[in-house]
Amino acid sequence: MWWKSALFILMSVMIVYSFTTPAPQKMIGESSRIFYYHIPQAWICVIAFAMSMIYSIKYLKTKDIHEDDKALVAAKLGFVFCLLATLSGATFAKVTWGSFWNWDPRETSIFILLLIYGAYFALRGAVDVEEKRASLSAVYSIFAFITVPFLIFIVPRLVPSLHPEDSIIDENMKFTMSPMVRTIFFSSLGLFTIFYFWLFNIGKRVQLMARNQVEQEDF
Amino acid sequence: MPKSSAGLLSRSLAVYFKDMRLELRTRSALNAILMFGVTTLAVVSFSLGQSNLSPKIMSALFWVIMFFSAMSGLAQTFIREEETGTSLALKLTADADSIYLGKLFFNLTLLTMMTLIITPMFFIFTDAPTNNLFPFLVVLVLGVFGLVSATTIVAAIIAKASTKGALFAVLSFPILMVLLMSLVSASEKIFDNQTLADTSSEVQFLIAYVVVMTTASILLFKFVWRE
Amino acid sequence: MDGNYVALAVTLLVWVGLFFYVFGVDKKVKKLEEKMK
């Protein structure tokens, strides 16, 4: 498959560039390179969460159990990327702000996101009947996702932020990036996204196969 | 869906009064929620002794007590339906919307009763300033509405799960965290002798939260109830 | 500058390892899919 080789080469090139070009943010210095990895992880976390919710809505509409499988795969991947984003963020916080955890608005938001995922998996573990599990977890994930806009708009007003407002780390695209930094950042974002969809595709197929296996054994 | 000729409100009230009659006979949910609240309050109060609390700590303690008391009793109404097997009968006699609203009113009554007892006790035990009572009541009412609007559907979800245990708090907390943050922030300002106008952004948020959560619950409830 | 090269080597290693692991899983899944048909 040509795109897999392309992904492999381009990601490798991106990694090399991310460490050999000048640091993206002069004031923070060398550690600001983590931004090429931290933000794409957070981005995938949100995408996966949104996909999980969309598949949940689809499930409630069609009652097709495959939609529930897809929602589960997206949620699992989203949880992993969320964890990665939290870890990379905490490392960066330690280096620049002096402590791993400060309850900064974004830290609070991602923590709540992790809790929602955790609760989602806990709920799935607590229901035995498959259709019931699918409906209940679908409702929960939709209901939980509704609070995310509140997280984005309300939490920053309640807790003082440490995320610099007009530096390169800001997600509102207000930053001043040099063309080089911009190229690396957006390639990283794109490559991470492609990688995520590849993982999602594999997960979906594994889930489908497991389901067919069970059906064959039943007959 | 079977619908009687009566309007949505009277159908919901029918569900509500059925639950209230049952509750008044056994008082199981109210006792649980009340004793939990009193216990938590007592633990907090005697461990702090006579120390002078800052507004921040006072408001945090108050909402911690409220949160855990709510968690101890608000799932009862749905769990009881499942355990006694009456949910099937209810499914046949009432539609999902009126059941949801009936249960919502019921939980609202339950939490209001608890609040009416816990709040004065809190003021007595912690010596919180009482000169700013009206804004505090506004935030309190919004807080009760917020807690109930977000947790009623979660209660319906966990009633259907096979292992309930601590699931109610686990599922509710991430949804309630935004609410609790703004409630703590608002009551901190009020304990600090600020006016209601100073908390306007929190109050606006609380109203939006209640409206959004209630609407979403009504839309989603039938998918839970049908299971 | 030395630290950067160490970080670069580690990141590349992680990426190459991850890629080939996922690639292997993908292949295995494909084989199983064909077997089941």
Side-chain angles (χ1 to χ4, degrees):
Chain A
M1 285 293 249
W2 64 271
W3 64 267
K4 284 173 199 160
S5 344
L7 175 68
F8 178 71
I9 293 162
L10 285 174
M11 187 73 110
S12 308
V13 171
M14 191 284 290
I15 291 170
V16 171
Y17 267 86
S18 73
F19 283 106
T20 52
T21 53
Q25 226 275 352
K26 296 280 168 319
M27 235 168 64
I28 297 170
E30 298 297 324
S31 62
S32 64
R33 295 175 197 284
I34 205 165
F35 135 93
Y36 293 129
Y37 301 92
H38 173 62
I39 297 187
Q41 286 159 359
W43 157 255
I44 298 295
C45 172
V46 174
I47 295 245
F49 207 158
M51 270 174 72
S52 180
M53 191 191 63
I54 291 166
Y55 284 121
S56 298
I57 295 175
K58 270 191 175 167
Y59 173 77
L60 289 182
K61 274 189 172 162
T62 61
K63 295 280 166 184
D64 177 1
I65 200 77
H66 295 115
E67 303 293 353
D68 178 58
D69 286 345
K70 289 180 208 163
L72 176 63
V73 171
K76 278 181 177 168
L77 285 172
F79 184 69
V80 172
F81 277 95
C82 232
L83 220 50
L84 286 175
T86 313
L87 292 177
S88 60
T91 314
F92 190 47
K94 179 70 183 171
V95 174
T96 50
W97 303 328
S99 65
F100 284 110
W101 202 261
N102 306 286
W103 291 109
D104 163 272
R106 299 233 170 81
E107 288 177 345
T108 309
S109 305
I110 206 159
F111 178 71
I112 298 177
L113 227 50
L114 279 173
L115 282 183
I116 292 177
Y117 275 126
Y120 177 79
F121 297 130
L123 174 62
R124 292 192 74 98
V127 188
D128 300 329
V129 187
E130 197 169 50
E131 286 78 22
K132 214 179 196 181
R133 175 168 58 219
S135 300
L136 295 182
S137 57
V139 169
Y140 183 72
S141 88
I142 296 165
F143 198 64
F145 195 79
I146 293 170
T147 58
V148 171
F150 287 124
L151 290 181
I152 295 165
F153 297 113
I154 305 301
V155 177
R157 271 205 256 168
L158 295 177
V159 213
S161 176
L162 289 167
H163 274 87
E165 262 315 313
D166 46 16
S167 78
I168 196 148
I169 322 291
D170 191 65
E171 280 162 13
N172 302 330
M173 301 292 163
K174 269 190 286 177
F175 41 53
T176 43
M177 285 196 288
S178 69
M180 176 59 104
V181 173
R182 189 177 303 145
T183 315
I184 300 174
F185 172 64
F186 282 107
S187 344
S188 172
L189 207 61
L191 293 168
F192 261 88
T193 311
I194 294 171
F195 187 55
Y196 161 74
F197 276 102
W198 185 23
L199 291 176
F200 176 75
N201 179 269
I202 295 172
K204 193 176 77 182
R205 278 152 56 205
V206 169
Q207 205 75 348
L208 187 70
M209 224 157 46
R211 194 163 289 290
N212 289 341
Q213 191 94 43
V214 171
E215 274 165 17
Q216 275 177 358
E217 275 165 13
D218 279 350
F219 293 118
Chain B
M1 205 173 283
K3 265 189 189 168
S4 61
S5 52
L8 180 64
L9 190 68
S10 59
R11 277 180 282 135
S12 326
L13 287 179
V15 175
Y16 169 74
F17 285 123
K18 174 200 78 84
D19 274 344
M20 280 309 279
R21 261 199 309 277
L22 208 64
E23 177 60 36
L24 288 178
R25 203 183 307 142
T26 60
R27 275 189 295 272
S28 59
L30 187 63
N31 282 342
I33 207 169
L34 208 62
M35 285 320 292
F36 203 97
V38 172
T39 311
T40 329
L41 185 60
V43 169
V44 165
S45 173
F46 84 69
S47 50
L48 288 169
Q50 286 303 307
S51 48
N52 227 337
L53 302 178
S54 69
K56 196 180 177 69
I57 294 182
M58 256 186 305
S59 69
L61 287 178
F62 181 75
W63 289 108
V64 167
I65 295 167
M66 286 290 284
F67 169 74
F68 280 109
S69 316
M71 288 299 102
S72 67
L74 290 188
Q76 279 298 319
T77 164
F78 283 107
I79 292 177
R80 188 157 48 200
E81 301 280 2
E82 297 296 327
E83 275 174 358
T84 54
T86 46
S87 64
L88 195 69
L90 194 59
K91 215 176 284 185
L92 292 173
T93 50
D95 59 311
D97 288 351
S98 50
I99 291 169
Y100 174 74
L101 288 175
K103 300 285 188 191
L104 184 76
F105 296 151
F106 177 73
N107 275 348
L108 211 52
T109 315
L110 210 58
L111 202 62
T112 307
M113 281 167 150
M114 191 216 72
T115 311
L116 284 178
I117 294 170
I118 293 293
T119 312
M121 284 176 76
F122 178 81
F123 275 87
I124 292 167
F125 277 133
T126 61
D127 222 6
T130 46
N131 52 344
N132 215 3
L133 221 48
F134 173 70
F136 184 75
L137 284 179
V138 173
V139 173
L140 189 60
V141 167
L142 286 170
V144 168
F145 269 90
L147 282 170
V148 171
S149 67
T151 53
T152 302
I153 192 165
V154 178
I157 290 176
I158 66 132
K160 304 276 177 181
S162 30
T163 44
K164 293 169 188 84
L167 210 54
F168 188 43
V170 168
L171 295 195
S172 301
F173 183 63
I175 297 172
L176 289 178
M177 194 155 161
V178 217
L179 175 79
L180 290 172
M181 284 171 83
S182 45
L183 284 172
V184 169
S185 153
S187 40
E188 180 191 341
K189 285 178 186 169
I190 289 163
F191 284 143
D192 207 18
N193 272 321
Q194 297 185 34
T195 59
L196 196 58
D198 294 319
T199 62
S200 65
S201 68
E202 280 93 348
V203 169
Q204 278 168 13
F205 160 75
L206 291 171
I207 294 170
Y209 183 89
V210 172
V211 171
V212 169
M213 292 327 235
T214 312
T215 317
S217 299
I218 291 172
L219 290 174
L220 289 169
F221 182 72
K222 54 178 178 290
F223 295 108
V224 179
W225 188 243
R226 270 193 220 134
E227 280 310 313
Chain C
M1 213 50 196
D2 265 0
N4 273 352
Y5 286 113
V6 176
L8 168 60
V10 172
T11 316
L12 263 181
L13 217 66
V14 169
W15 164 241
V16 172
L18 191 65
F19 179 84
F20 282 105
Y21 175 71
V22 174
F23 195 80
V25 172
D26 195 3
K27 246 184 176 166
K28 211 191 263 171
V29 171
K30 203 168 278 170
K31 216 182 270 170
L32 278 169
E33 277 172 339
E34 263 153 34
K35 214 160 108 191
M36 282 180 80
K37 265 177 194 166

